[in-house]
Amino acid sequence: MDQLDLTIRIAGENGEGVLTVGDVLAEALARSGLHIYTFKNLPAEIKGGASMTQVRVQDTPVRSPGDALDILMVWNQENYDIHVGEVKPSGVVIFDPDECEADDSLALTQIAVPLQKITKTVIKTMKSKNVLAFGILTTFLGIPFDAAKQMVSESRWGRRKEFLESNINALKQAYIYVADNDIDLGLSVPVNQRNGHAQLIMTGNDALCMGALAAGCRYYAGYPITPASDVMETLAKAMPRVGGVLMQTEDEIAAITASIGASFTGAKVMTATAGPGLSLMVEALGLATMEEIPLVVVDVQRGGPSTGMPTKTEQSDLNLAIHGAHGEAPRIVIAATNTEDCFYTAVKAFNLAEKYQTPVIMLSDQHLSQRAQVMSRPDLSRIEIVERKKPDVNGSVSPEEFDRYEMTDDYVSPMPLPGRHGQHYVATGLEHDEHAHIDYSPEAHIRMTEKRHQKIESAVNEPGFVQRYGAEDAQLGLIGWGSSEGPILEALDRTLAKGYKVAALIFKMLQPLPEKEARAFIESIPVVSVVELNASGQFANYLQGRLAVSLKRFNIITGLPFKAGDIEEYIEGVLQYG
């Protein structure tokens, strides 16, 4: 049996329910035991403008959104014109003939389905148009009516019982229309497999939240900003269940300073934002570095400077995350690679913050944060949780003699909690000595600067943050970080299967830089290229500056994620033509 691999896109006007069709279809297929990967592209406006959602479904794990479309359903002319060029020659276009005119010159299978007319004249409620569209798709996918009915009943369409009858009728009308018009695409997507409770369907933001809670996060302060707002919305529901506290602040400056204050008292804390918000947090990040306060800051990157493209993806905050500071304020910067990894990277972010008593910036991006994938249910009993170093409460050192910033062997000092450890200190943003007394002397500044830098250097030795893939005798090496991992690895598998000698090195730890692994990879391969979603090659520049090496770059700045096919084509071009 051939491997199942279908890419389906639904496109229409933002606010019409297009995204819901994709969400329910993805959830239904995932609950049937299949692997899914969703991709949304929508305008920043609340209503209006071209909007689309895409579902790639396979019977094996999915790594990228897909290259070209097997099925395109469009609800109007604008979206037909935008998307029809991405359909495979063997693909199918489903269009509403009352809303758009198909291009008959295209060598595609194009099927007219009057969604608007059926909704108005047969179903007689526009609220069920998206259920009708869902039914057309499940019919074309060869999913039996009873299975589709169960999908609708168990979805958000079935939660409000007053609309369930109308929604089931809309689904029924879809199957009647396809049968009456004798339409058969010859597809049969299996829906009988059940993985029970072993599989979860999660977005990156939701997985991140669950990881934070598993790590012990019990305080969150934040300000709404696309595409990080989902983090606060999810935690607002979850925090009360675990005895935690969530506060919506008046801006990002208040969010990070409130988080620093909560961490000072002993709480594990997090705030999440996007690039504009991270810019506002820069001064307070320096405060947390100076005070040596554990802190997790999530940056869900989005496109462009200023307001830019709030609903588009990009990997362009790397410079800000690593270097954004006045003075020298070292911090740890890590990046998640996929939905499941968002869970575990969030746990690691808290462990790093607690272990090294420093801010940790966790980088995600719009595509990673809002796409859905299937992931295995985590075994919480196997997750290691790290707590910050505490002073010996039975020790004989008096509060007057206690050194909060003691120069220990690992440069990390015991951190007392107010009213709990019999010790106290003043946490100040001013330079200080070991006792936390303000001290501007050259000697104190040298010692404390060394302490703040040296204590995080050993973080490069933490396991699981750099991974090599592919041929040992590679002629071309690809370096990637964060969410570019999936498309890179899918392209790697394709080109290896064609006989090309290619390897990849994926970074999750970005600062401090794992120089040993980076240098070994670069020096062992004749040509190395850095693949990233930004214009200037920020990680490539960072590697070149640290390692004094020459690197090629493959960058796109479309606001869209990488396609595996684009990277595959790049690999073949470099190896064939140099």
Side-chain angles (χ1 to χ4, degrees):
M1 179 179 176
D2 293 338
Q3 178 183 333
L4 174 67
D5 187 355
L6 291 173
T7 301
I8 305 160
R9 180 177 296 177
I10 308 103
E13 191 79 1
N14 189 33
E16 282 190 301
V18 172
L19 301 183
T20 304
V21 179
D23 288 344
V24 176
L25 181 64
E27 184 174 340
L29 294 170
R31 291 190 182 280
S32 299
L34 299 168
H35 294 270
I36 55 95
Y37 185 119
T38 68
F39 165 41
K40 298 177 182 179
N41 189 12
L42 58 154
E45 293 74 26
I46 295 174
K47 190 172 183 179
S51 179
M52 77 83 166
T53 183
Q54 182 168 305
V55 181
R56 187 180 183 192
V57 56
Q58 293 183 341
D59 44 20
T60 56
V62 193
R63 286 175 163 170
S64 77
D67 295 338
L69 307 177
D70 295 284
I71 298 176
L72 170 66
M73 172 183 276
V74 293
W75 291 11
N76 58 36
Q77 188 70 51
E78 179 186 16
N79 281 281
Y80 180 93
D81 296 339
I82 291 172
H83 302 291
V84 72
E86 295 188 57
V87 181
K88 296 177 180 178
S90 60
V92 176
V93 179
I94 306 164
F95 69 98
D96 189 331
D98 297 322
E99 300 296 323
C100 65
E101 183 178 344
D103 184 351
D104 294 333
S105 67
L106 298 176
L108 297 170
T109 300
Q110 302 191 78
I111 301 173
V113 178
L115 295 172
Q116 193 83 347
K117 182 178 179 180
I118 296 172
T119 305
K120 285 182 177 180
T121 62
V122 180
I123 304 170
K124 297 181 179 180
T125 170
M126 295 307 295
K127 291 182 181 294
S128 295
K129 179 180 177 180
N130 48 13
V131 186
L132 174 67
F134 171 82
I136 295 295
L137 289 170
T138 56
T139 310
F140 285 177
L141 293 173
I143 296 174
F145 174 76
D146 288 343
K149 180 180 177 180
Q150 182 178 357
M151 293 173 181
V152 170
S153 300
E154 293 178 353
S155 75
R156 66 192 69 182
W157 290 324
R159 291 173 193 161
R160 296 184 63 178
K161 301 306 177 186
E162 64 269 32
F163 297 127
L164 180 57
E165 182 178 352
S166 173
N167 287 336
I168 296 299
N169 180 47
L171 182 72
K172 182 179 179 180
Q173 295 305 321
Y175 279 74
I176 291 173
Y177 180 86
V178 172
D180 288 348
N181 289 273
D182 195 24
I183 305 171
D184 185 0
L185 299 186
L187 296 174
S188 180
V189 174
V191 295
N192 296 322
Q193 305 171 52
R194 290 284 176 178
N195 289 339
H197 297 290
Q199 301 294 316
L200 300 174
I201 308 146
M202 306 281 279
T203 66
N205 275 344
D206 285 344
L208 183 158
C209 291
M210 298 305 103
L213 294 172
C217 178
R218 294 299 180 265
Y219 183 86
Y220 179 94
Y223 182 75
I225 183 171
T226 303
S229 298
D230 296 345
V231 175
M232 185 160 62
E233 292 173 8
T234 298
L235 289 177
K237 300 174 184 178
M239 276 294 190
R241 300 180 183 179
V242 296
V245 174
L246 181 139
M247 181 170 69
Q248 180 174 326
T249 58
E250 65 269 30
D251 55 36
E252 289 87 354
I253 298 172
I256 190 170
T257 51
S259 298
I260 292 171
S263 182
F264 173 75
T265 69
K268 290 188 177 183
V269 305
M270 182 174 78
T271 185
T273 188
L278 185 63
S279 300
L280 295 174
M281 293 181 177
V282 162
E283 182 180 0
L285 276 168
L287 174 65
T289 298
M290 178 65 85
E291 293 182 342
E292 302 191 34
I293 298 286
L295 171 69
V296 175
V297 178
V298 176
D299 175 19
V300 186
Q301 301 168 93
R302 65 192 212 183
S306 186
T307 311
M309 302 191 294
T311 59
K312 311 298 181 184
T313 200
E314 212 162 79
Q315 292 179 302
S316 52
D317 289 350
L318 182 64
N319 287 343
L320 175 62
I322 294 175
H323 304 297
H326 61 272
E328 293 184 297
R331 75 288 296 256
I332 295 173
V333 180
I334 59 179
T337 56
N338 58 55
T339 297
E340 185 170 19
D341 190 56
C342 282
F343 177 91
Y344 293 102
T345 300
V347 173
K348 291 176 181 178
F350 278 90
N351 287 346
L352 291 168
E354 295 289 316
K355 181 176 181 178
Y356 296 98
Q357 294 180 21
T358 192
V360 174
I361 297 178
M362 176 179 166
L363 294 176
S364 177
D365 58 65
Q366 179 271 331
H367 176 57
L368 172 57
S369 70
Q370 296 184 337
R371 80 187 189 212
Q373 288 180 277
V374 172
M375 61 177 280
S376 299
R377 184 178 293 273
D379 183 353
L380 300 182
S381 66
R382 301 181 63 180
I383 295 175
E384 179 187 7
I385 303 299
V386 175
E387 306 293 343
R388 66 189 66 173
K389 187 186 293 187
K390 306 275 195 329
D392 182 2
V393 295
N394 298 316
S396 58
V397 178
S398 67
E400 292 74 20
E401 299 172 314
F402 175 71
D403 287 338
R404 161 62 183 104
Y405 299 107
E406 176 187 356
M407 295 293 285
T408 62
D409 291 340
D410 61 2
Y411 297 96
V412 180
S413 312
M415 181 178 177
L417 302 182
R420 292 171 59 184
H421 292 117
Q423 309 290 357
H424 58 258
Y425 70 100
V426 176
T428 174
L430 295 169
E431 189 60 281
H432 46 257
D433 61 14
E434 288 81 353
H435 190 69
H437 288 163
I438 296 170
D439 189 339
Y440 301 148
S441 69
E443 295 78 14
H445 186 51
I446 290 170
R447 289 196 307 275
M448 291 298 109
T449 299
E450 178 186 15
K451 183 179 191 296
R452 292 187 288 268
H453 279 81
Q454 289 297 323
K455 71 174 183 175
I456 70 169
E457 283 302 314
S458 60
V460 295
N461 300 318
E462 299 284 345
F465 282 103
V466 187
Q467 185 67 50
R468 190 187 194 281
Y469 303 88
E472 290 298 323
D473 57 344
Q475 294 301 304
L476 171 64
L478 301 181
I479 290 178
W481 62 276
S483 66
S484 298
E485 178 197 59
I488 289 174
L489 296 186
E490 184 171 341
L492 189 74
D493 288 344
R494 293 180 189 179
T495 48
L496 287 171
K498 294 179 179 179
Y500 292 101
K501 294 181 178 181
V502 193
L505 190 67
I506 305 297
F507 287 81
K508 298 181 187 179
M509 176 73 71
L510 306 173
Q511 166 66 20
L513 179 67
E515 292 188 14
K516 180 180 178 182
E517 292 87 345
R519 189 178 295 279
F521 182 80
I522 293 169
E523 292 181 350
S524 68
I525 300 175
V527 180
V528 176
S529 183
V530 183
V531 179
E532 50 187 328
L533 294 171
N534 57 56
S536 59
Q538 294 183 18
F539 193 51
N541 293 337
Y542 181 47
L543 287 168
Q544 289 187 161
R546 294 290 295 269
L547 304 177
V549 294
S550 178
L551 299 168
K552 294 175 72 70
R553 295 114 185 278
F554 180 44
N555 306 90
I556 65 170
I557 48 169
T558 59
L560 306 175
F562 279 111
K563 293 180 179 180
D566 291 339
I567 300 175
E568 178 185 11
E569 184 178 327
Y570 174 77
I571 292 170
E572 294 177 351
V574 170
L575 290 177
Q576 290 177 9
Y577 307 111

